[in-house]
Amino acid sequence: MKTRDEFVVQKQSAWSELDSLLVRDRLDGSDLSRLSALYRAVCSDLMAARAAGFGTDLLGHLDGLAARAHAVLYGHGRRRWQTGLGLLLSDFPRKLRESAPFMLAAALLFFVPFALGLASTLLSPKFAETVLPPAALEEMAEMYSKSVSEGRESGTNATMAGFYVMNNVGIAFRCFATGILFGVGSIFFLVYNGLVIGTVVGHVTAVGHGQNILAFICGHSAYELGAIVISGAAGLRLGWSLIATGNLTRLGSLRVAALGTVPLIAGAAGMLLIAAAVEAFWSPSSIPYPVKYAFGGASLVTVFSFWAFAARGTRRRDHEKPSHVTLEDPA
């Protein structure tokens, strides 16, 4: 049975960490995950201290700490959803940079098969038939056989926008959700989609319609493919949380990782909506090819600049040192 002093010494650092989180101006997904864990811990400590009869000053302090954490944790969640723009413009790019190892892994898993499918099909057109059925390849070749500069009816554009949203969201969702299978599902869908997309581009180019498909995809590919990679990275993060659990149970580790992926998924969803709008209304338009290529280049620069630099100037106010418990005067 621990004495009161031993109990305080053992728990002090966690209480101080919780207090330091509670005085911050802004909390991102990882902060909220940690706050949630510390809140549960302090509630457990409060019950233990009450059962041991460690004194009203300690009980009062822990009770107040738990009450503050509860108010920030649950009140904060409602405010965050009311300020979704902040989630997209601030939390999303920060969380993206924090997830750099997963982003790099997802990018390699997608773009290496993409390059393999593209190069192999250009070198040997028969390779495409090992990836997709001949009928599907013929359909793709026919789709891009005509110059997109001829344009498309506006009513068709609106219909296709809905189709693109559903299709792109389906791909991204599979890359993310299957990460719960220890990351294996995310790995499979990243590799599969990269190979298929690269093979399609290679096949259409090999049959002589490369300029048409490039003009069509260049405007929205930065948003669409970027969102797929981000979704895959979020899935890999889920899978890794089941492998490297730290001091948590697998379920607890998964819950923390899932909360941390919220900004990533929100950002990917926003990018998919942009991609669908561009793909439906801009990509099939009669705008000259050079203008479309320039727009595609600008989109690529915009996406990478946002990922790299957005919200870097946003800083949370942190006290130099976390406050410590004053047992003699908990107020």
Side-chain angles (χ1 to χ4, degrees):
M1 182 67 161
K2 291 185 177 68
T3 66
R4 170 178 159 143
D5 289 342
E6 290 173 339
F7 181 77
V8 171
V9 168
Q10 180 182 8
K11 304 293 185 178
Q12 178 68 69
S13 61
W15 299 341
S16 298
E17 183 182 358
L18 176 58
D19 185 68
S20 70
L21 286 173
L22 293 175
V23 298
R24 291 187 178 184
D25 287 334
R26 292 181 58 84
L27 297 171
D28 62 18
S30 59
D31 292 331
L32 288 172
S33 299
R34 184 58 180 161
L35 179 62
S36 177
L38 291 171
Y39 167 64
R40 292 192 297 270
V42 79
C43 288
S44 177
D45 294 341
L46 176 59
M47 290 188 291
R50 183 176 289 124
F54 281 157
T56 57
D57 57 342
L58 178 57
L59 294 178
H61 180 83
L62 294 179
D63 188 55
L65 195 59
R68 289 168 57 206
H70 182 277
V72 170
L73 186 63
Y74 293 99
H76 188 271
R78 290 190 291 272
R79 291 194 299 274
R80 295 300 290 171
W81 287 114
Q82 293 170 356
T83 57
L85 190 60
L87 181 70
L88 293 174
L89 299 182
S90 182
D91 291 351
F92 168 48
R94 282 204 303 265
K95 184 59 66 176
L96 202 60
R97 292 189 291 269
E98 292 174 11
S99 304
F102 298 105
M103 281 293 295
L104 177 60
L108 290 174
L109 287 168
F110 181 85
F111 285 108
V112 169
F114 176 94
L116 176 63
L118 175 63
S120 298
T121 304
L122 290 175
L123 293 173
S124 176
K126 288 293 184 181
F127 174 82
E129 295 182 5
T130 66
V131 178
L132 290 170
L137 294 171
E138 291 176 11
E139 182 179 352
M140 290 294 175
E142 176 63 24
M143 183 183 302
Y144 295 103
S145 62
K146 296 181 181 180
S147 171
V148 294
S149 62
E150 297 176 9
R152 191 166 64 188
E153 295 181 4
S154 58
T156 303
N157 288 342
T159 301
M160 293 306 295
F163 169 77
Y164 293 140
V165 168
M166 295 300 296
N167 181 67
N168 295 342
V169 167
I171 294 174
F173 178 77
R174 287 190 288 272
C175 289
F176 166 65
T178 56
I180 200 171
L181 303 174
F182 293 89
V184 175
S186 295
I187 293 172
F188 171 79
F189 281 109
L190 284 167
V191 171
Y192 172 78
N193 284 289
L195 181 62
V196 168
I197 294 173
T199 299
V200 168
V201 174
H203 176 73
V204 173
T205 301
V207 297
H209 308 314
Q211 191 175 28
N212 292 342
I213 192 171
L214 178 60
F216 184 83
I217 68 174
C218 67
H220 62 268
S221 58
Y223 302 102
E224 182 178 320
L225 301 186
I228 291 173
V229 170
I230 292 171
S231 300
L236 292 176
R237 183 169 179 157
L238 290 183
W240 183 248
S241 73
L242 295 173
I243 298 172
T245 60
N247 295 324
L248 302 175
T249 64
R250 278 207 169 95
L251 180 58
S253 179
L254 180 63
R255 290 176 62 184
V256 170
L259 186 58
T261 63
V262 170
L264 297 179
I265 296 305
M271 292 178 65
L272 288 175
L273 290 176
I274 295 173
V278 174
E279 190 172 4
F281 296 98
W282 170 272
S283 298
S285 69
S286 57
I287 294 172
Y289 281 11
V291 178
K292 290 187 174 182
Y293 297 150
F295 178 83
S299 296
L300 189 62
V301 171
T302 299
V303 168
F304 276 102
S305 296
F306 179 76
W307 290 357
F309 303 111
R312 280 193 180 275
T314 304
R315 292 289 183 267
R316 294 184 298 270
R317 184 184 67 185
D318 297 321
H319 289 250
E320 292 183 1
K321 295 181 180 179
S323 60
H324 291 268
V325 179
T326 304
L327 298 181
E328 294 76 18
D329 184 12

